[in-house]
């Protein structure tokens, strides 16, 4: 009996020694790699960009709308800043546009053209990760050229006034293709208001028009 007990104790000792030796061997497992977290996209930041589109609208004279139709190409650039709070995005933007918006009344007595305009606007929207839906509105200014070829023949009476009392409202959608490159489509209604024609005091002419444009911006 004693012989069997000594044999069992010896076997237990050998097992314990083997386990200790195995614990001392180097591990075959690789180093623990910390998880990589991709930062969530944010709309916060400054941006600059360009846009191009089409405009159409009306010529207004002395308070009467639609004296003539107005349409043509528009294109220019924008600069702005967005700030994101949770899912909401607020910001400000200024743009300056070259335009070829020209019009003439049905009788050929009055021709009106807007060759440039600009806006300074607030923006507010809701972000769905890289997708943004927003509304915008603010101040608008621009030039309105008038001529009266039907009244004065080859000696057409021309005037070029800068209108500074207008407004612009609209909205759009944008998508961030990368952390820096943002594309979008925007609709805007612009009313430059009426202003006295320099050569014909007491007569006012203005334009209002809608614009649909594609835009591309780079966010810093």
């Amino acid at each position: 009996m004693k012989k069997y007990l000594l044999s069992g104790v010896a076997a237990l000792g050998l097992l314990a020694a083997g386990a200790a030796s195995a614990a001392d061997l180097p591990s075959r497992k690789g180093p623990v790699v910390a998880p990589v977290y991709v930062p969530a996209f944010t709309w916060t930041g400054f941006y600059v960009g360009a846009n191009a589109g089409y405009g159409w609208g009306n010529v207004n004279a002395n308070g009467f709308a639609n004296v003539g139709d107005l349409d043509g190409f528009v294109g220019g650039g924008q600069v702005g800043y967005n700030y994101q709070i949770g899912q909401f995005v607020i910001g400000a933007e200024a743009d300056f546009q070259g335009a070829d918006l020209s019009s003439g009344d049905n009788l050929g007595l009055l021709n009106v053209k807007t060759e440039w305009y600009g806006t300074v606007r607030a923006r507010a929207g809701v972000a769905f990760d890289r997708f943004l839906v927003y509304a915008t509105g603010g101040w608008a200014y621009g030039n309105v050229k008038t001529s009266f070829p039907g009244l004065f023949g080859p000696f057409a009476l021309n005037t070029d006034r800068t209108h500074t009392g207008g407004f612009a409202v609209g909205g759009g959608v944008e998508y961030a293709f990368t952390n820096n490159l943002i594309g979008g489509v925007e609709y805007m209604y612009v009313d430059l208001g009426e202003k006295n024609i320099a050569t014909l005091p007491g007569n006012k002419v203005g334009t209002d028009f809608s614009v649909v444009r594609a835009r591309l911006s780079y966010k810093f």
Side-chain angles (χ1 to χ4, degrees), residues 95 118-122 137-141 163-168:
D95 69 324
T119 68
V120 178
R121 296 167 284 106
W139 174 56
Y141 61 96
H163 294 212
T164 58
F167 68 91

Side-chain angles (χ1 to χ4, degrees), residues 91-116:
E93 180 177 289
D95 69 324
F96 187 82
Q97 306 294 125
D100 184 22
L101 301 172
S102 58
S103 171
D105 69 0
N106 294 331
L107 299 177
L109 300 178
L110 172 66
N111 292 331
V112 177
K113 179 181 290 188
T114 291
E115 295 180 330
W116 59 265

Side-chain angles (χ1 to χ4, degrees), residues 12-37:
L12 290 173
L14 290 173
L15 289 174
S21 298
D24 292 335
L25 293 175
S27 173
R28 295 182 180 180
K29 295 181 179 180
V32 178
V33 179
V36 177
Y37 296 99

Side-chain angles (χ1 to χ4, degrees), residues 88-180:
F88 298 98
V89 178
I90 57 175
E93 180 177 289
D95 69 324
F96 187 82
Q97 306 294 125
D100 184 22
L101 301 172
S102 58
S103 171
D105 69 0
N106 294 331
L107 299 177
L109 300 178
L110 172 66
N111 292 331
V112 177
K113 179 181 290 188
T114 291
E115 295 180 330
W116 59 265
Y117 71 93
T119 68
V120 178
R121 296 167 284 106
R123 302 203 324 165
V126 180
F128 303 91
D129 192 20
R130 293 178 176 270
F131 185 75
L132 176 66
V133 180
Y134 65 90
T136 183
W139 174 56
Y141 61 96
N143 84 317
V144 177
K145 286 186 173 183
T146 59
S147 63
F148 301 86
L151 291 177
F152 299 94
F155 305 101
L157 186 60
N158 302 310
T159 185
D160 187 350
R161 303 299 300 271
T162 298
H163 294 212
T164 58
F167 68 91
V169 294
V173 294
E174 288 186 320
Y175 182 78
F177 297 104
T178 70
N179 287 344
N180 303 106

